[in-house]
Amino acid sequence: MNLTEKISYIRGLCDGLELDESKPEVKVLNAIIDLLDDMAFEVSDMEELYDELSAQVDEIDQDLADVESDVYDDEDYDMEDYDDDDDDYDFDDEENPFYEVTCDSCGQKLNVSEDVLLEGEIECPNCGENLEFDFSNLFSDEEDDDCDVDCASCGGCSDTEE
């Protein structure tokens, strides 16, 4: 039995009692039954709307699954680069490495791609300070004769001959 059927049953029971409609307690009882009847219709309408909404969400979910399969079935996309625990990109990607940079002004740590570093500067999103990166000593053609290490790997020689 659904709600509207139950309310109709209760209304029938009250009508079967043949109560005096002029008494205040009977008026209250009838008002409660009318209220329950209205509530039952509202719940019934909400159930219908819920069913429609649920069907629409299922359609959207299926459409999204189709889009995800189209987008993420790309050969260049690697699910191992995505960490489900943190919902963050894996910054250890060998093809496009990221480096952690700390702003001298506010101490904000930023993950910056190699391309941005090679551009030479970036604005701190936290404080707006201009962060500059100078790699001129890494790419100089002059090598120190005393150094037996490749300067690009160590950051340059500190012992220069005078």
Side-chain angles (χ1 to χ4, degrees), residues 82-147:
Y82 190 76
D83 184 6
D84 289 334
D85 296 334
D86 297 339
D87 290 339
D88 289 332
Y89 186 77
D90 181 9
F91 293 108
D92 294 333
D93 184 4
E94 292 175 10
E95 293 177 17
N96 189 16
F98 281 80
Y99 300 93
E100 187 173 274
V101 176
T102 304
C103 176
D104 292 333
S105 296
C106 68
Q108 175 74 33
K109 291 185 179 184
L110 308 169
N111 288 314
V112 181
S113 71
E114 184 174 26
D115 297 334
V116 172
L117 285 176
L118 292 175
E119 286 178 16
E121 64 182 10
I122 187 174
E123 184 176 301
C124 176
N126 190 41
C127 69
E129 180 72 24
N130 195 29
L131 306 176
E132 295 180 1
F133 312 107
D134 183 18
F135 298 106
S136 60
N137 64 342
L138 293 178
F139 301 112
S140 83
D141 292 334
E142 301 175 15
E143 290 187 26
D144 189 357
D145 293 334
D146 294 335
C147 183

